[in-house]
Amino acid sequence: DFGDFAPTLALRQLVPAVAYTEDIGAYPLLVIQVTFFKCGGVSLGVGMEHHVADGMSGLHFINSWADIARGCDVTVQPFIDRKLLMARSPPTPKFQHVEYQPPPVLKTKECRNGLIDGLHTGEINGSVIDESSQQVAPGIFSLTEQQLEMLKHQAVDPETKATYSTYETLA
């Protein structure tokens, strides 16, 4: 007896258990279990790999299956022509993708006193310089915990003493 079907661990009995101890290639993409209750009710437990279908697709699958079980026609026929998903060579984006655009023009404050442990420090003279004439390239930087803490410390507003999260500091 499952009562009012409030979310509990007991409801897991209605969906087949999958042993995730095997190789990932052995995981089932779809598991289904039919449970018949003493009262005459029936439950259809469905477990679907989230890479196979999103929520809307999974619901459409179950509704289409129910239509077929009742003898009705499927309202939306499956479309499995994978040519639609093939990438073009060379890529020809139909709308603006930020990853294909040149890096933005950087406007920075001029900094003096050089580098300490790979991070800019020192007085800021407040003048904004346009670096559009300089060579700019995007990059990936690895920061140590110590460098991150130094950045956070430097980001503290001296007037309000406001501190910033790691995300805010790095953004």
Side-chain angles (χ1 to χ4, degrees):
D1 182 24
F2 289 100
D4 61 358
F5 283 95
T8 66
L9 290 177
L11 289 178
R12 289 187 180 233
Q13 297 175 40
L14 300 176
V15 179
V18 177
Y20 290 105
T21 57
E22 305 276 330
D23 180 62
I24 193 168
Y27 296 173
L29 300 178
L30 175 70
V31 291
I32 297 171
Q33 174 179 315
V34 178
T35 304
F36 296 95
F37 298 105
K38 293 176 186 175
C39 65
V42 178
S43 167
L44 179 65
V46 179
M48 191 175 301
E49 170 61 42
H50 69 95
H51 291 98
V52 174
D54 61 2
M56 291 294 291
S57 301
L59 186 60
H60 175 70
F61 169 75
I62 292 170
N63 286 337
S64 296
W65 186 13
D67 287 344
I68 292 169
R70 286 193 310 268
C72 302
D73 291 330
V74 176
T75 54
V76 178
Q77 293 296 317
F79 183 80
I80 54 175
D81 184 3
R82 293 189 172 267
K83 289 183 207 145
L84 229 117
L85 302 174
M86 290 177 50
R88 292 178 293 274
S89 181
T92 52
K94 300 287 185 192
F95 54 93
Q96 184 170 343
H97 289 266
V98 69
E99 62 268 23
Y100 295 126
Q101 303 304 315
V105 174
L106 296 178
K107 299 216 182 246
T108 62
K109 293 186 177 184
E110 199 172 325
C111 183
R112 288 189 245 163
N113 294 346
L115 298 171
I116 293 178
D117 293 333
L119 299 174
H120 282 285
T121 61
E123 295 178 20
I124 297 175
N125 68 9
S127 65
V128 177
I129 58 171
D130 184 358
E131 295 185 354
S132 60
S133 61
Q134 298 179 13
Q135 185 77 4
V136 177
I140 297 174
F141 302 96
S142 297
L143 298 176
T144 65
E145 192 74 32
Q146 181 183 11
Q147 290 171 323
L148 181 58
E149 289 304 317
M150 186 187 311
L151 280 174
K152 283 182 167 183
H153 178 73
Q154 290 177 351
V156 173
D157 186 340
E159 292 177 15
T160 64
K161 304 291 186 206
T163 59
Y164 299 96
S165 69
T166 299
Y167 177 82
E168 290 169 323
T169 303
L170 295 177

